Amino acid sequence: MGRQIHQKALQRFVVFLIAVVIYISLRFEPKMAAAAIIALIHDLILAAGVYSVTYFVVTPSTVIALLTVLGYSLYDTIVVFDKVEENTKG
């Protein structure tokens, strides 16, 4: 049962990341979209890398923390790029 939950959670996470990449690609210019996607991947790899290097146990709290990092990364990137677009149009 645990393996099924793990697989479904991973599948949904991948689907979510694909949806985010599609949204960012459609919403921003190609250069800005690429930078946002790279920043997102960087933040996730860095956070997951800290856990793998330190051999911390991955618990539900860990998953929540990684999703929080993902949320803040996306939010900050979208807000900053939206403001940049708004300022450069005028």
Side-chain angles (χ1 to χ4, degrees), residues 11-90:
Q11 288 172 349
R12 290 188 175 117
F13 181 69
V14 169
V15 169
F16 170 76
L17 285 178
I18 290 170
V20 166
V21 168
I22 290 170
Y23 171 76
I24 290 173
S25 299
L26 295 174
R27 173 69 176 86
F28 296 111
E29 298 175 15
K31 288 181 184 178
M32 293 174 88
I37 293 166
I38 290 169
L40 175 67
I41 292 169
H42 170 267
D43 292 343
L44 286 175
I45 289 175
L46 185 67
V50 168
Y51 273 92
S52 70
V53 168
T54 58
Y55 298 107
F56 283 140
V57 177
V58 177
T59 64
S61 297
T62 305
V63 175
I64 292 169
L66 287 174
L67 291 174
T68 303
V69 168
L70 174 71
Y72 277 118
S73 175
L74 283 172
Y75 177 76
D76 288 342
T77 303
I78 298 296
V79 168
V80 168
F81 284 173
D82 189 49
K83 192 66 174 174
V84 167
E85 266 190 346
E86 181 182 310
N87 288 340
T88 56
K89 284 185 181 178

